[in-house]
Amino acid sequence: MVHLWLRAETKSNEHRAALTPSACKELLNNGFQISVEKSADRIFDDEEYEQKGCTLVPTLSWKNAPDDAYIIGLKELPENDDSPLSHQHIFFAHCYKNQRGWKDILRRFIKGNGTILDLEFLVDEKGRRIAAFGYHAGFAGTALGLDVWAHQQIHPKQNFPSVEPYPDENVLINYVQNRLDGAVAVRGRYPRVMVMGALGRCGKGAVECARKSGIPEENIIKWDLEETKKGGPFKEILECDIFVNCIYLSQKIPPFLTKEMLDEGRQLSVIVDVSCDTTNPNNPIPVYSVNTTFNNPTVPIQTNNPHPIEVISIDHLPTLLPREASDYFDKDLLPTLLELKNRESSSVWQRAEKLFKEKCALVD
């Protein structure tokens, strides 16, 4: 019997779940055993899982889980811990693209003889991701970008406040529309929004959010491979008010923007780096170096231009809509989770394990 152990998330303001109650019910119906750590932060109540037949266990008790249990979660493992890890972990490890501290993470698994089955790298035979939060990342990032732009118009001397998750998309869109109404009354026009990577899952979410928020179609500039094939930097970005980066970075490319460009005349005042490759040495937006949070959503960029500019670089944007994002993700992930019953014959899981071993081989 396959045993999945849903761990409680420890990242601040993370409310999504790697397994929703409805997904758990389907897995239980297929002979899985599911343990769910209690969590006050998860968007789904503990009782929702219990009602589906899951076993509730203490928060952060996964280290004591049976050896054969798969520990499943979304974001990073608890910080300030370098103890060996012996279980098989399914989560977004963020250590395969030379991110800061990637070797330290892998060393813990090497020492404990554990395994990472990274959610980001569960792909089909064509290299396409099985499940991703991209759509909601783009949607949420654009909503925040529009909100920050509106704030700059209405309260130019005030810092942008902290942000809380929304119960659903309609509430979020209504809020953004109201904010835009106030900003347009001051500025006299809607912002121009450029979405980089507009044809991908993330980009489509960004474009859809802009449309639903009332941005005129002619103000939504959609760029993808065709528009960027000449290579950056791109001065066209400076002509927009909001730049939303939605590309999936897989190799080094010329930067889209440089710090020097921001000293020039520009309309640009908000950068939303949905891709958030902040610590990646190949980050195509090398104008900032820190991740922002829901408590502090923006970071200003110091330039020689009096026109202020802020960056949103939150690395778990979909938790702005935690219930919808979790449901959407699990709907795509569920068929692959069911394949854990015959993992040896599942090409998706075998590719994930092979990649983990290849990355471990790079650790000195």
Side-chain angles (χ1 to χ4, degrees):
M1 179 183 293
V2 178
H3 186 181
L4 289 173
W5 187 288
L6 178 62
R7 63 175 170 85
E9 300 292 335
T10 56
K11 187 179 183 72
S12 178
N13 292 310
E14 180 55 76
H15 303 286
R16 292 172 296 169
L19 294 177
T20 64
S22 58
C24 287
K25 180 63 175 176
E26 187 68 25
L27 291 163
L28 289 166
N29 289 343
N30 279 272
F32 281 63
Q33 178 183 352
I34 301 179
S35 300
V36 176
E37 292 187 357
K38 296 177 181 179
S39 172
D41 296 322
R42 195 184 290 130
I43 188 64
F44 304 100
D45 294 334
D46 294 340
E47 291 73 23
E48 294 183 64
Y49 290 97
E50 196 169 37
Q51 289 167 6
K52 297 296 185 183
C54 301
T55 301
L56 295 182
V57 294
T59 305
L60 298 181
S61 58
W62 54 266
K63 285 190 178 181
N64 299 319
D67 292 342
D68 62 350
Y70 290 89
I71 312 302
I72 185 167
L74 290 177
K75 301 302 290 183
E76 303 92 329
L77 297 172
E79 296 180 345
N80 303 316
D81 186 350
D82 59 359
S83 59
L85 295 168
S86 59
H87 289 93
Q88 300 174 97
H89 283 253
I90 302 172
F91 72 121
F92 289 101
H94 299 302
C95 63
Y96 286 0
K97 295 191 289 186
N98 298 326
Q99 293 99 326
R100 186 181 299 134
W102 69 277
K103 289 184 179 181
D104 297 331
I105 298 171
L106 289 174
R107 283 194 189 100
R108 296 183 65 190
F109 285 90
I110 294 171
K111 289 177 181 177
N113 200 32
T115 305
I116 296 175
L117 299 169
D118 198 309
L119 287 168
E120 184 177 350
F121 296 93
L122 296 182
V123 296
D124 64 16
E125 64 280 355
K126 294 184 179 179
R128 295 174 300 201
R129 291 176 65 180
I130 295 300
F133 283 101
Y135 178 88
H136 283 93
F139 196 100
T142 300
L144 285 182
L146 292 169
D147 192 11
V148 170
W149 181 85
H151 189 84
Q152 290 173 341
Q153 316 313 311
I154 302 168
H155 306 292
K157 297 188 183 300
Q158 294 181 16
N159 292 333
F160 187 75
S162 62
V163 177
E164 296 289 333
Y166 288 79
D168 59 52
E169 179 186 301
N170 290 333
V171 175
L172 172 61
I173 289 298
N174 286 337
Y175 175 77
V176 173
Q177 287 175 338
N178 288 335
R179 290 278 280 174
L180 283 172
D181 287 345
V184 171
V186 173
R187 190 66 183 269
R189 64 173 180 84
Y190 280 95
R192 298 183 79 237
V193 182
M194 174 182 278
V195 178
M196 188 71 80
L199 299 182
R201 194 169 354 200
C202 179
K204 288 177 180 176
V207 171
E208 188 64 14
C209 177
R211 286 175 177 151
K212 288 186 174 182
S213 298
I215 303 300
E217 194 68 28
E218 62 271 19
N219 281 29
I220 306 174
I221 296 87
K222 299 176 279 290
W223 275 34
D224 209 273
L225 292 175
E226 179 63 28
E227 292 79 9
T228 59
K229 62 184 179 183
K230 66 179 181 180
F234 303 106
K235 287 196 172 186
E236 291 91 337
I237 296 173
L238 302 178
E239 299 168 6
C240 300
D241 298 281
I242 303 168
F243 173 55
V244 186
N245 177 39
C246 294
I247 71 151
Y248 182 78
L249 184 65
S250 59
Q251 61 188 20
K252 185 174 179 60
I253 59 174
F256 296 151
L257 279 173
T258 65
K259 193 79 177 291
E260 293 72 27
M261 290 171 64
L262 301 180
D263 292 336
E264 303 171 15
R266 55 177 164 77
Q267 286 291 335
L268 186 67
S269 64
V270 181
I271 297 173
V272 185
D273 193 3
V274 179
S275 301
C276 218
D277 288 299
T278 313
T279 65
N280 190 314
N282 299 328
N283 181 9
I285 310 178
V287 299
Y288 75 101
S289 58
V290 297
N291 284 120
T292 61
T293 66
F294 283 97
N295 290 333
N296 296 287
T298 68
V299 60
I301 302 176
Q302 301 303 318
T303 72
N304 294 323
N305 187 320
H307 187 43
I309 183 166
E310 297 174 86
V311 174
I312 299 169
S313 55
I314 299 171
D315 65 2
H316 59 138
L317 281 166
T319 203
L320 193 68
L321 292 169
R323 184 174 289 270
E324 287 160 299
S326 299
D327 283 334
Y328 186 96
F329 181 77
D330 265 14
K331 181 181 177 182
D332 288 342
L333 181 63
L334 185 58
T336 299
L337 288 176
L338 289 168
E339 290 180 6
L340 284 172
K341 295 174 71 173
N342 299 290
R343 180 174 147 190
E344 299 77 14
S345 60
S346 168
S347 59
V348 173
W349 292 112
Q350 290 302 307
R351 274 190 290 270
E353 185 172 359
K354 179 174 181 286
L355 181 60
F356 167 71
K357 291 177 179 177
E358 290 172 355
K359 296 299 181 181
C360 285
L362 300 175
V363 178
D364 45 43

